[in-house]
Amino acid sequence: SDLLGASPIVIPVSGRDALSWKQLQPGFVGSENESSNNSNLWTRSNFGQLETFLSATLTASSKIKTKLSNPLGVAEGILLDCKHEIERRQEDLDVDVATLKLLRSDSEAFEKDMTSILDRHRLNINKEWTTRAQVVQRVLDELTLVDQLRIGIGMGRNTFDRAWENAKLASILSTAKESSSFSNKLISITSECSEALVSGAKKQGEDQIEYLGKRVSVISTGLKGNNSKMIGKIDTPKFQRLEDELLASIIPVIEKTTKHLPSDLECADNVYTSFCRASMLSSLLMSSGMCSTALTFGGFLDMSQGMLLCSATLTVAGVTSLPLGSRYIARSFEKEWMSNASKLENGLNALFSDAMQRINGHLSDAINPYTRYVKSEETSLISLHKEMESGIADATRLRGHINKACE
């Protein structure tokens, strides 16, 4: 009474006794006075006094308000339960969304790892080409100027062959004479790269499944989460055929690039011929200039100052043409080999790019049931939340109308 500010009227009743009496008296309306009831059940329930009190106390507007508010209150209770269920499902969805974000982040890290593997492969392939392309420069570094001049007069073949073999040993090249050995080495390096890619893809697929577990197999539904819904099954991606197919595509590309390359013996012969031409030209220029000058100073030839200058120029040109010509031969050889390396790199890049797309596609397909569930649940909850908010707003507006009409 202190809280209410008045003394409340208390009427004790027994709902069970009143219900039992009314079930025994289906024709009873409940509007008779208590004194007219001969039933002990009805008298003991004390409902007659309550009904008399309500009939005398409640006005018509109160009765109408009570009648209309009762189903509205039930609807508001259902909307409240729906709100709690949506909030529970939203909490579960937040976990799923966070899981997908982690998977995407892990996939990005996986792509970076695969990119680093491909970069190392490119470096290894480029190293092989560069090593082979720089053989002539190593030969040139080992030959002295005298050795190069002797090549020009046909007396330096043995020296050149020794320098060629030493250059190959220094660059850790195969001792085989045919270019197929170089092709096999490129195939071996590329096979290791493809094997690393497929192994990494398998490990990534297994990690995805291990991380997700069976979460996407069964999802709880219902207002109390007591129902289960199968949304699909995720499996480990299969990559058995990918490695074989990738290797089957790589071998023809490498063989096509290297099949027209000259053998090791042909390379040595071509380079030796080029060195002979450069040395002969240098020797010719130097001998022309030096002989003219020597004859002039020996008194056997009378040359003007301009002719002496030309002789000196020929001598200098002969001295400088040999190292310049030798470097040009080395650069030309290197340029020719590296142009083939660029062609091979473009072909392998296309193959590995296609392989990475297939790997990412397989990994994505493996978790598609989970991804589809998260997206559909997200869309469904947004729609349910809008409908719930609309229902709550309608209920609030309707209760306001009822209160205003019953004032």
Side-chain angles (χ1 to χ4, degrees), residues 196-256:
L197 283 180
V198 176
S199 298
K202 291 179 180 179
K203 184 65 169 60
Q204 177 69 9
E206 293 171 356
D207 290 344
Q208 280 187 172
I209 304 303
E210 183 178 356
Y211 182 75
L212 289 176
K214 297 182 178 180
R215 177 167 181 76
V216 300
S217 298
V218 179
I219 301 297
S220 298
T221 60
L223 290 177
K224 296 183 179 179
N226 53 2
N227 297 324
S228 297
K229 176 185 177 184
M230 295 294 296
I231 66 163
K233 182 182 179 182
I234 56 175
D235 295 313
T236 305
K238 309 300 182 184
F239 298 103
Q240 287 86 349
R241 297 179 57 189
L242 178 61
E243 184 175 357
D244 295 335
E245 292 175 357
L246 184 58
L247 188 59
S249 301
I250 287 172
I251 292 176
V253 173
I254 294 178
E255 290 180 346
K256 181 180 179 181

Side-chain angles (χ1 to χ4, degrees), residues 133 136-137 140 275 325-335:
V136 177
Q137 183 61 49
L140 185 60
F275 275 164
S326 299
R327 282 198 293 269
Y328 175 77
I329 294 171
R331 285 197 302 269
S332 299
F333 185 86
E334 182 176 354
K335 183 179 180 181

Side-chain angles (χ1 to χ4, degrees), residues 140 145 148-153 270-286 317-330:
L140 185 60
L145 182 60
Q148 295 180 44
L149 290 174
R150 291 179 62 193
I151 290 175
I153 58 176
N270 293 336
V271 173
Y272 178 76
T273 301
S274 298
F275 275 164
C276 285
R277 292 171 180 171
S279 180
M280 289 177 63
L281 176 62
S282 176
S283 299
L284 180 61
L285 291 174
M286 285 191 297
V319 172
T320 58
S321 66
L322 183 57
L324 290 177
S326 299
R327 282 198 293 269
Y328 175 77
I329 294 171

Side-chain angles (χ1 to χ4, degrees), residues 72 75-76 79 389-402:
L72 184 59
E76 289 175 335
L79 285 172
E389 292 292 339
S390 177
I392 292 175
D394 291 341
T396 302
R397 185 170 57 256
L398 185 56
R399 183 172 291 280
H401 291 331
I402 292 173

Side-chain angles (χ1 to χ4, degrees), residues 65-251:
K65 181 178 180 180
T66 302
K67 283 285 186 180
L68 295 177
S69 298
N70 183 47
L72 184 59
V74 174
E76 289 175 335
I78 294 174
L79 285 172
L80 184 61
D81 289 340
C82 290
K83 181 180 180 181
H84 292 159
E85 171 64 12
I86 290 174
E87 290 175 350
R88 184 192 67 79
R89 288 173 61 180
Q90 185 63 50
E91 290 177 358
D92 292 340
L93 181 63
D94 290 340
V95 175
D96 293 322
V97 171
T99 300
L100 276 182
K101 288 182 179 178
L102 287 174
L103 285 176
R104 293 192 188 99
S105 177
D106 187 59
S107 297
E108 292 175 358
F110 165 74
E111 290 183 10
K112 290 181 180 178
D113 291 341
M114 296 300 99
T115 301
S116 65
I117 290 176
L118 293 176
D119 289 341
R120 287 197 300 271
H121 167 261
R122 293 189 188 97
L123 289 176
N124 291 334
I125 290 292
N126 187 69
K127 182 179 179 182
E128 289 298 322
W129 282 100
T130 303
T131 301
R132 177 61 69 103
Q134 291 178 348
V135 169
V136 177
Q137 183 61 49
R138 291 188 177 91
V139 171
L140 185 60
D141 293 340
E142 187 166 339
L143 293 175
T144 64
L145 182 60
V146 175
D147 293 333
Q148 295 180 44
L149 290 174
R150 291 179 62 193
I151 290 175
I153 58 176
M155 298 177 60
R157 180 69 197 210
N158 293 334
T159 303
F160 174 82
D161 289 340
R162 285 195 301 271
W164 184 269
E165 292 298 326
N166 292 336
K168 289 198 303 179
L169 292 176
S171 58
I172 322 175
L173 289 175
S174 172
T175 56
K177 298 299 182 180
E178 299 298 327
S179 61
S180 59
S181 62
F182 180 64
S183 174
N184 291 336
K185 184 171 291 188
L186 296 180
I187 292 174
S188 176
I189 295 173
T190 309
S191 299
E192 292 177 2
C193 176
S194 63
E195 182 179 352
L197 283 180
V198 176
S199 298
K202 291 179 180 179
K203 184 65 169 60
Q204 177 69 9
E206 293 171 356
D207 290 344
Q208 280 187 172
I209 304 303
E210 183 178 356
Y211 182 75
L212 289 176
K214 297 182 178 180
R215 177 167 181 76
V216 300
S217 298
V218 179
I219 301 297
S220 298
T221 60
L223 290 177
K224 296 183 179 179
N226 53 2
N227 297 324
S228 297
K229 176 185 177 184
M230 295 294 296
I231 66 163
K233 182 182 179 182
I234 56 175
D235 295 313
T236 305
K238 309 300 182 184
F239 298 103
Q240 287 86 349
R241 297 179 57 189
L242 178 61
E243 184 175 357
D244 295 335
E245 292 175 357
L246 184 58
L247 188 59
S249 301
I250 287 172
I251 292 176

